[in-house]
Amino acid sequence: MGLLNTAFEAVVDSDDTQSDGSSPSSTATPCPGRIAEAVPDGKGSKLVEAFRTHNKQITLCRTSDGKLYYYGEFSDRREKGIAMPAEKTNDGYVARNAPYKYVIQDGAVTIYESNRRIGQEKLTPEPSPR
């Protein structure tokens, strides 16, 4: 199941600063179309961050109503990816898909099953998924 079962939800601060510290902008990079289609209400969503591991792609996109979603997929797209809501933390992101939890921080994604660490993968930032 791994990274394919992850996503994020964030809240837009009342002063129009996004929960990731960025300001909303109409010039922000659009979320890639195929990913925006998989995100609930993803039309018009904006790319927040993108990462890759040795064989997976992780894309974070924010919808026009301020929700942040994580889209996980195999880099070779052998399976359809999964978009899920989660939340921004002080030092990264966390997503839950019981019994799994995915924590992105310090350049890695750590995967837990029922609160037991089952894996960790190094993340490389990407400008935008292919």
Side-chain angles (χ1 to χ4, degrees), residues 48-68:
V48 174
E49 289 191 71
F51 304 97
R52 65 179 162 80
T53 69
H54 72 283
N55 69 344
K56 295 179 188 76
Q57 179 74 40
I58 299 168
T59 307
L60 298 165
C61 292
R62 184 179 313 283
T63 63
S64 59
D65 65 356
K67 292 181 181 175
L68 186 63

Side-chain angles (χ1 to χ4, degrees), residues 81-128:
I82 296 173
M84 300 181 76
E87 61 190 69
K88 174 84 172 98
T89 65
N90 289 336
D91 56 356
Y93 304 92
V94 65
R96 290 177 180 83
N97 184 33
Y100 299 96
K101 178 172 76 171
Y102 306 85
V103 178
I104 292 179
Q105 67 184 39
D106 299 327
V109 59
T110 306
I111 303 109
Y112 298 88
E113 181 179 13
S114 301
N115 293 319
R116 184 180 56 98
R117 182 178 155 174
I118 61 171
Q120 185 173 58
E121 296 185 60
K122 181 180 175 185
L123 294 173
T124 301
E126 288 282 311
S128 182

